[in-house]
Amino acid sequence: MLAIKEEKGLLWIRASGKLEDEDYNRFVPQFEEIAEREPGTVAMVIELAPDFSGWDLGGFWRDLKFDVRHKDSFGRIAIVGDNQWEEWGTEVFDPLFRAEMEFFHPTERQAAEVWARSDESMS
């Protein structure tokens, strides 16, 4: 499940459980609306809840296609989580995207927001 909110151009996403089609179908229009309205790129903080279990392979490919289609709309992406595989995944996927990605532990939530908002390298 995805909980999505916007706060002054920063997109906050909390992912929990297993992501499903409905989550993706809600996220895409929200992201596109913000990307059209806000100048530049959309910065994000993605919080992975302790019960986050990812998505199925079909969801992974759909997300990858979305990322390619919107590659110029992404600002910095801060990933907040507490599992080693989440940190590893952030490091693996970072080189695949134009946007910078950085992993933060839950105790660093405020630092994640500051980092995502300081999108100087993408300007």
Side-chain angles (χ1 to χ4, degrees), residues 2-106:
L2 288 180
I4 305 164
K5 71 176 181 174
E6 179 195 0
E7 191 175 279
K8 298 177 187 166
L10 181 70
L11 195 57
W12 285 90
I13 301 168
R14 180 165 171 81
S16 61
K18 189 160 189 101
L19 300 183
E20 300 181 4
D21 288 339
E22 302 86 48
D23 298 310
Y24 181 80
N25 294 338
R26 275 188 315 108
F27 170 75
V28 170
Q30 284 184 284
F31 179 86
E32 290 175 341
E33 188 271 327
I34 293 166
E36 287 177 17
R37 179 172 30 93
E38 294 292 325
T41 57
V42 179
M44 290 187 272
V45 175
I46 302 173
E47 295 183 76
L48 305 176
D51 71 338
F52 175 67
S53 59
W55 53 90
D56 61 22
L57 189 55
F60 173 77
W61 288 116
R62 183 185 54 223
D63 286 352
L64 195 54
K65 286 188 247 179
F66 172 84
D67 295 342
V68 169
R69 190 171 60 245
H70 294 87
K71 69 182 184 319
D72 294 331
S73 298
F74 289 107
R76 284 183 165 182
I77 303 171
I79 308 292
V80 179
D82 61 357
N83 290 313
Q84 184 64 38
W85 70 268
E86 296 164 346
E87 185 170 5
W88 176 82
T90 302
E91 292 172 11
V92 167
F93 284 103
D94 182 36
L96 301 176
F97 299 98
R98 180 173 179 250
E100 285 184 79
M101 294 175 71
E102 187 74 31
F103 184 83
F104 296 85
H105 293 278

